[in-house]
Amino acid sequence: RSSDYLEYTKKIMSRGKLIAISEGCYIGTHRPYGYKKIKYKEGRRTCNTLEIVESEAEVVRMIFDLYINSGMGFDKIANHLNELGIKPSLCDKWKRHTLQDMVSNITYTGKVRWNYRKTVRSIVNQELVKSRPRTKLSEYLVFEGKHDAIISDEIFELAQQKRGKNIPIRKNKAIVNPLAGVFHCAKCGK
């Protein structure tokens, strides 16, 4: 009976979270860089949302500008921010993965997302393994948030288009064919 009650309670809590997200509340544990979490009263309810921290918001705008207009990659942007002495909120130095997550975070456009990182359970070697893979933009729910946008929708879309075009290059992989990169096919360009 207690397991049934636990499952019932989980369903109720999940439903409440989905309702809060659909109303535009931010229920994430960590704040995105450029915002601070605030609580406000809405009738008898207390809601969580985000408020812009202008000094950090300027850094976010600069990151998007450097990525889209200056043609800089994430490593160069991270080095540039570290040289300027700008500190991220959760660690000591900027890293490429932090900037990749920022550029793909739709929260900066004034929206909130749900089920971006679902917990997927699978059995590997007769053990239950939980993972939280990132989902594509078309697979998770996006709602209009109660917070103000730092980045416009057009700038965000430009960044997503650029992310889709960049091909990662493995630096530690040796070239198999010595003529790779020297000759190109006239038909396909490879």
Side-chain angles (χ1 to χ4, degrees):
R1 300 290 275 164
S2 62
S3 339
D4 293 340
Y5 181 71
L6 178 64
E7 291 301 317
Y8 176 69
T9 305
K10 285 181 182 178
K11 282 182 185 176
I12 290 173
M13 291 176 72
S14 177
R15 200 169 38 211
K17 286 179 185 178
L18 183 59
I19 289 170
I21 287 286
S22 66
E23 291 175 353
C25 298
Y26 182 81
I27 62 170
T29 53
H30 298 292
R31 67 176 181 92
Y33 187 83
Y35 289 105
K36 68 178 179 178
K37 283 176 70 171
I38 60 168
K39 291 185 179 192
Y40 72 96
K41 285 279 205 184
E42 190 175 84
R44 295 186 313 184
R45 290 180 24 184
T46 303
C47 299
N48 292 326
T49 189
L50 300 170
E51 187 177 78
I52 293 177
V53 177
E54 198 55 46
S55 60
E56 292 181 357
E58 287 300 320
V59 175
V60 173
R61 291 183 193 107
M62 181 174 67
I63 289 168
F64 274 85
D65 182 54
L66 290 173
Y67 184 66
I68 295 169
N69 299 327
S70 299
M72 293 175 76
F74 293 118
D75 286 326
K76 286 184 181 179
I77 295 172
N79 292 336
H80 180 68
L81 293 174
N82 290 330
E83 288 172 4
L84 292 176
I86 300 170
K87 298 281 184 193
S89 58
L90 294 177
C91 55
D92 294 335
K93 292 186 175 184
W94 289 96
K95 297 183 175 96
R96 177 170 51 101
H97 300 293
T98 306
L99 296 172
Q100 286 175 342
D101 289 343
M102 284 178 72
V103 168
S104 65
N105 191 350
I106 201 163
T107 307
Y108 291 114
T109 63
K111 296 176 177 61
V112 289
R113 60 186 178 188
W114 180 248
N115 278 343
Y116 173 63
R117 298 200 57 189
K118 275 193 226 180
T119 302
V120 177
R121 295 180 177 104
S122 59
I123 297 176
V124 177
N125 296 331
Q126 299 179 352
E127 289 186 20
L128 183 66
V129 177
K130 295 179 184 178
S131 63
R132 296 188 62 219
R134 289 176 170 82
T135 56
K136 297 176 184 171
L137 181 62
S138 60
E139 296 176 4
Y140 59 86
L141 302 173
V142 176
F143 298 102
E144 199 63 40
K146 294 186 178 188
H147 59 280
D148 295 327
I150 294 177
I151 301 297
S152 68
D153 290 333
E154 295 81 23
I155 293 174
F156 183 77
E157 285 302 319
L158 286 172
Q160 300 319 300
Q161 290 171 2
K162 184 173 179 188
R163 278 208 73 188
K165 292 179 183 176
N166 288 353
I167 299 169
I169 299 170
R170 294 183 186 170
K171 295 179 182 176
N172 59 353
K173 189 174 180 181
I175 296 176
V176 178
N177 187 348
L179 299 176
V182 177
F183 292 110
H184 298 283
C185 177
K187 293 181 182 177
C188 68
K190 291 186 178 182

